[in-house]
């Protein structure tokens, strides 16, 4: 079994769970190999090409569809019990499903929102929304940034985690596109980005980001990753993983706020690591029992206490001190269970889509002409889909 080597506390929980599963039954013994997170996808892809994948495999969720298309994964639908599946939150099921078959299940999902300083927002008369249903409109959010900037020494009041790299840009900035009526691809057919990524709606959304980052310079580029905890900005657009650090810095002054509504409702990101099994697995029933074991409340709560992520089942959400009703991070759970989360495109073309979108966002943030950038990105995505004949499903021999 391969898993990604996350933070030390996360690794220790996974190692303990594997040991416990092996101790409690004598049919199989699972051997865990942890691979570095930074090179995980490339190592899995190399093993897939060499026909050397393990029996059980952890995936960075959105990359799963490409492995299914290549014929490496076994559907889980008939292997996992219905009682377990009914307990899994919809965002995790949605991420793990491709062409109406379930291939992966995660122990946790991700949260994305705005963290704010209550005192600084109240100083400019901003209301503080607590539900995605009454999120700030984009015009309201834009005015709040201006009002905050007017009271700030350098006018930089928003952290977009521009110091992050890679997948962050798609995870964080694809939801605003969809909130604005655009997308990175047409999700009816998954055959073209034309009219989605280069639409007037996409240009309008990206114009806001270019204004905040490049023109008005309201975004702290955050090279030291200290913009919010150091008090330089009042708002930080980031995920669940920053809560411990932010709460330690600001305590009761910290508020969690849904992302702004760009005219079609507030949307948020989702998707995280999940487990599946390869077609080489000689013991699919036992592999399924192990995945079910990972989805027990005690397993999920131990893991999410270690990594801070959002539990993947309804019962584990209510067992979690951070995410149960009335808890400080409940907004993340509501977003994932009430339909505000948008999965990244469920297509084998995703590795290309995300690479192209990341570069487009960076080009726009540096002041490039938005329509030209989005037209070029659209052409690159369309060309990849054309080169792969639309990514048709292939009946593999094994």
């Amino acid at each position: 079994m391969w898993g990604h080597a996350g933070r030390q506390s996360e690794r220790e929980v996974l190692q303990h769970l594997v040991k416990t599963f092996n101790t409690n039954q004598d049919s199989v013994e699972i051997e865990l190999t942890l691979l570095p997170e930074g090179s995980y996808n490339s190592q899995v892809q190399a093993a897939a090409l060499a026909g050397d994948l393990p029996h059980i495999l952890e995936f960075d969720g959105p990359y799963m569809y490409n492995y299914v298309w290549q014929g490496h994964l076994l559907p889980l639908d008939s292997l996992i019990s219905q009682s377990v599946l009914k307990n899994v939150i919809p965002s995790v099921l949605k991420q793990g499903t491709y062409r109406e078959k379930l291939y992966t299940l995660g122990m946790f999902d991700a949260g994305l929102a705005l963290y704010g300083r209550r005192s600084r927002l109240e100083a400019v008369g901003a209301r503080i929304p607590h539900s995605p249903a009454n999120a700030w409109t984009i015009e309201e959010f834009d005015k709040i940034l201006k009002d905050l900037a007017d009271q700030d020494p350098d006018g930089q009041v928003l952290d977009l985690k521009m110091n992050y790299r890679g997948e962050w840009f798609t995870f964080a900035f694809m939801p605003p596109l969809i909130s604005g009526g655009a997308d990175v691809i047409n999700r009816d057919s998954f055959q073209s980005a034309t009219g989605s990524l280069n639409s007037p709606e996409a240009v309008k959304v990206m114009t806001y980001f270019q204004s905040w980052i490049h023109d008005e310079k309201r975004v702290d580029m955050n090279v030291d990753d200290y913009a919010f905890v150091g008090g330089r900005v009042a708002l930080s657009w980031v995920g669940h993983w920053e809560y411990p650090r932010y709460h330690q810095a600001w305590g009761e002054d910290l508020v969690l706020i849904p992302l702004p509504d760009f005219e079609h409702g507030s949307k948020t990101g989702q998707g995280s690591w999940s487990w599946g099994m390869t077609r080489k697995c000689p013991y699919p029933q036992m592999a399924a029992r192990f995945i079910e074991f990972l989805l027990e409340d005690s397993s999920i709560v131990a893991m999410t206490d270690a990594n801070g992520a959002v539990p993947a089942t309804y019962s584990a959400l209510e067992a979690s001190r951070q995410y149960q009703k009335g808890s400080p991070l409940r907004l993340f759970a509501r977003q994932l269970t009430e339909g505000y989360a948008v999965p990244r495109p469920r297509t084998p073309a995703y590795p290309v889509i995300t690479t192209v979108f990341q570069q487009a966002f960076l080009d726009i943030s540096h002041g490039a002409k938005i329509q030209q950038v989005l037209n070029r990105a659209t052409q690159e995505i369309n060309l990849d889909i054309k080169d792969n004949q639309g990514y048709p499903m292939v009946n593999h021999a094994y």
Side-chain angles (χ1 to χ4, degrees):
M1 178 181 104
W2 287 2
H4 82 284
R7 63 186 70 177
Q8 182 177 348
S9 57
E10 198 172 359
R11 293 195 297 273
E12 290 174 353
V13 169
L14 184 57
Q15 289 165 337
H16 174 72
L17 291 174
V18 170
K19 183 179 180 181
T20 300
F21 183 80
N22 285 338
T23 301
N24 291 342
Q25 52 78 40
D26 56 10
S27 298
V28 296
E29 180 169 353
I30 293 178
E31 296 180 2
L32 171 64
T33 299
L34 294 170
L35 303 177
E37 183 170 337
S39 60
Y40 190 87
N41 287 318
S42 59
Q43 292 195 57
V44 171
Q45 187 63 47
L49 291 171
D52 197 26
L53 287 171
H55 300 159
I56 303 174
L57 188 60
E58 190 178 27
F59 301 93
D60 193 358
Y63 288 83
M64 175 267 289
Y65 317 114
N66 195 274
Y67 296 123
V68 175
W69 177 67
Q70 294 177 43
H72 296 304
L73 301 188
L74 198 62
L76 302 179
D77 307 78
S78 62
L79 295 169
I80 304 294
S81 72
Q82 286 301 306
S83 61
V84 171
L85 294 178
K86 286 179 180 177
N87 193 30
V88 178
I89 62 175
S91 61
V92 174
L93 290 175
K94 192 177 293 184
Q95 176 188 261
T97 301
Y98 179 61
R99 297 201 175 193
E100 301 182 355
K101 290 185 179 179
L102 180 69
Y103 288 94
T104 64
L105 286 167
M107 300 175 72
F108 47 84
D109 206 334
L112 175 70
L114 284 162
Y115 292 89
R117 295 274 308 285
R118 182 189 303 277
S119 57
R120 293 187 63 176
L121 292 169
E122 289 179 347
V124 297
R127 71 181 179 93
I128 299 177
H130 299 288
S131 163
N134 66 353
W136 287 324
T137 66
I138 186 55
E139 293 84 5
E140 191 177 8
F141 182 61
D142 193 48
K143 183 177 185 304
I144 289 169
L145 292 182
K146 180 180 182 305
D147 292 344
L148 289 168
D150 287 344
Q151 295 190 4
D152 191 89
D154 65 4
Q156 296 178 358
V157 295
L158 174 65
D159 168 31
L160 292 175
K161 292 294 181 185
M162 296 299 292
N163 53 316
Y164 286 3
R165 292 291 179 267
E167 189 64 20
W168 163 251
F169 294 101
T170 311
F171 172 70
F173 306 120
M174 183 196 71
L177 273 183
I178 297 169
S179 176
D183 207 333
V184 292
I185 193 169
N186 181 327
R187 298 195 188 214
D188 290 332
S189 64
F190 291 101
Q191 294 297 303
S192 173
T194 302
S196 298
L197 184 53
N198 63 347
S199 65
E201 291 84 0
V203 172
K204 185 175 180 180
V205 171
M206 288 297 113
T207 299
Y208 277 111
F209 282 98
Q210 188 173 71
S211 169
W212 301 331
I213 299 168
H214 182 265
D215 301 339
E216 304 294 336
K217 295 187 170 37
R218 289 178 182 148
V219 173
D220 189 313
M221 300 311 284
N222 202 10
V223 293
D224 58 357
D225 205 25
Y226 202 65
F228 191 75
V229 294
R232 299 202 304 264
V233 300
L235 291 164
S236 181
W237 184 306
V238 70
H240 63 270
W241 54 88
E242 280 289 23
Y243 175 74
R245 196 166 68 116
Y246 286 6
H247 183 259
Q248 183 177 21
W250 301 113
E252 295 301 313
D253 197 34
L254 181 70
V255 289
L256 189 62
I257 303 166
L259 296 184
D261 176 0
F262 285 75
E263 295 187 4
H264 292 260
S266 175
K267 301 296 180 186
T268 190
Q270 67 152 102
S272 195
W273 294 90
S274 57
W275 295 97
M277 67 179 79
T278 66
R279 290 185 180 274
K280 293 177 61 177
C281 180
Y283 313 109
Q285 297 291 345
M286 287 307 299
R289 298 294 80 76
F290 176 70
I291 293 174
E292 289 183 341
F293 170 70
L294 293 181
L295 292 175
E296 292 180 4
D297 286 355
S298 57
S299 302
I300 291 178
V301 171
M303 179 59 77
T304 55
D305 280 351
N307 65 14
V310 188
T313 64
Y314 288 105
S315 57
L317 278 173
E318 295 313 316
S320 168
R321 289 169 297 175
Q322 298 283 26
Y323 293 98
Q324 60 192 203
K325 290 178 182 175
S327 61
L329 301 181
R330 184 65 179 181
L331 173 66
F332 288 140
R334 291 191 60 190
Q335 292 181 150
L336 295 172
T337 58
E338 296 180 8
Y340 296 97
V342 182
R344 278 161 277 183
R346 293 183 289 177
T347 166
Y350 184 74
V352 170
I353 292 173
T354 186
T355 300
V356 170
F357 180 72
Q358 291 164 25
Q359 187 59 53
F361 186 87
L362 289 173
D363 290 346
I364 290 168
S365 72
H366 292 145
K369 292 183 179 180
I370 296 173
Q371 187 69 70
Q372 289 183 9
V373 170
L374 296 181
N375 283 342
R376 184 171 64 245
T378 296
Q379 290 171 1
E380 291 179 28
I381 292 170
N382 290 350
L383 180 61
D384 172 73
I385 295 171
K386 182 180 178 182
D387 286 346
N388 286 282
Q389 290 82 49
Y391 288 100
M393 283 297 284
V394 177
N395 291 322
H396 294 273
Y398 67 99

